[in-house]
Amino acid sequence: AVLAAAGAVQAQQYQEYMPLKQGNQWTYYKANPVAKFAPWTVSVDQKYSTIYHVDAFPGFPNGTWLGWSGNTLYAWSWELNQWVSFLRFGASVGTTYTVTIDGSLWNNTKVSVKSKTLKVANPYLNINHTYVVHFTFQHPSLADAGVQEYMFDSGYGLVYWSEQSFAGPTTGWL
């Protein structure tokens, strides 16, 4: 029973890295070669039971359904008609796994947990994020497109992301 309680506390702790609650909204300062510092807003616009529709989440331009189970953030795959283990916050640093969600962007994408103690300076909020969970992605079918990395900080959610496109690299800071 003690281990179950400890696991529940750890899961709750990781869920603070992407706080899903209807009405939550994050505005990112998006920099790319075409539109320097264009704002990009991500919002939780719908809730159904314990799952949430997140509009404009990087890598999912039409939005996606996300939900927590323990210390793993799941994404709904319309093509597979099932929940897919997307971001494994509880996985050890160095863990690499493969996800397939929808379409070619997330088809057989390798996800790596790079760090759980990364410290980054946010140039837009003028704060330092500590104990950042850092994920990187390799998209085998799209060498020049797709999300490259996500960084999450407890209580803030996604604080940084980068992606590659035909127009060049794009980054977003909270």
Side-chain angles (χ1 to χ4, degrees), residues 49 125 164:
S49 186
L125 292 181
Q164 183 63 39

PDB file of all heavy atoms in Angstrom, residues 49 125 164:
ATOM      1  N   SER A  49     -14.849  13.796 -19.232  1.00  0.00           N
ATOM      2  CA  SER A  49     -14.406  12.935 -18.132  1.00  0.00           C
ATOM      3  C   SER A  49     -12.994  13.349 -17.716  1.00  0.00           C
ATOM      4  O   SER A  49     -12.812  14.453 -17.236  1.00  0.00           O
ATOM      5  CB  SER A  49     -14.490  11.467 -18.541  1.00  0.00           C
ATOM      6  OG  SER A  49     -14.198  10.636 -17.452  1.00  0.00           O
ATOM      7  N   LEU A 125      10.016  35.047 -20.377  1.00  0.00           N
ATOM      8  CA  LEU A 125       9.466  35.244 -19.036  1.00  0.00           C
ATOM      9  C   LEU A 125      10.517  35.770 -18.072  1.00  0.00           C
ATOM     10  O   LEU A 125      10.220  36.112 -16.941  1.00  0.00           O
ATOM     11  CB  LEU A 125       8.890  33.926 -18.492  1.00  0.00           C
ATOM     12  CG  LEU A 125       7.647  33.391 -19.177  1.00  0.00           C
ATOM     13  CD1 LEU A 125       7.197  32.097 -18.507  1.00  0.00           C
ATOM     14  CD2 LEU A 125       6.520  34.399 -19.138  1.00  0.00           C
ATOM     15  N   GLN A 164      11.164  21.389 -37.096  1.00  0.00           N
ATOM     16  CA  GLN A 164      11.793  21.643 -38.383  1.00  0.00           C
ATOM     17  C   GLN A 164      10.700  21.589 -39.445  1.00  0.00           C
ATOM     18  O   GLN A 164       9.813  20.748 -39.371  1.00  0.00           O
ATOM     19  CB  GLN A 164      12.856  20.579 -38.668  1.00  0.00           C
ATOM     20  CG  GLN A 164      13.628  20.789 -39.948  1.00  0.00           C
ATOM     21  CD  GLN A 164      14.438  22.067 -39.938  1.00  0.00           C
ATOM     22  OE1 GLN A 164      15.025  22.444 -38.926  1.00  0.00           O
ATOM     23  NE2 GLN A 164      14.469  22.760 -41.050  1.00  0.00           N
TER      24      GLN A 164
END
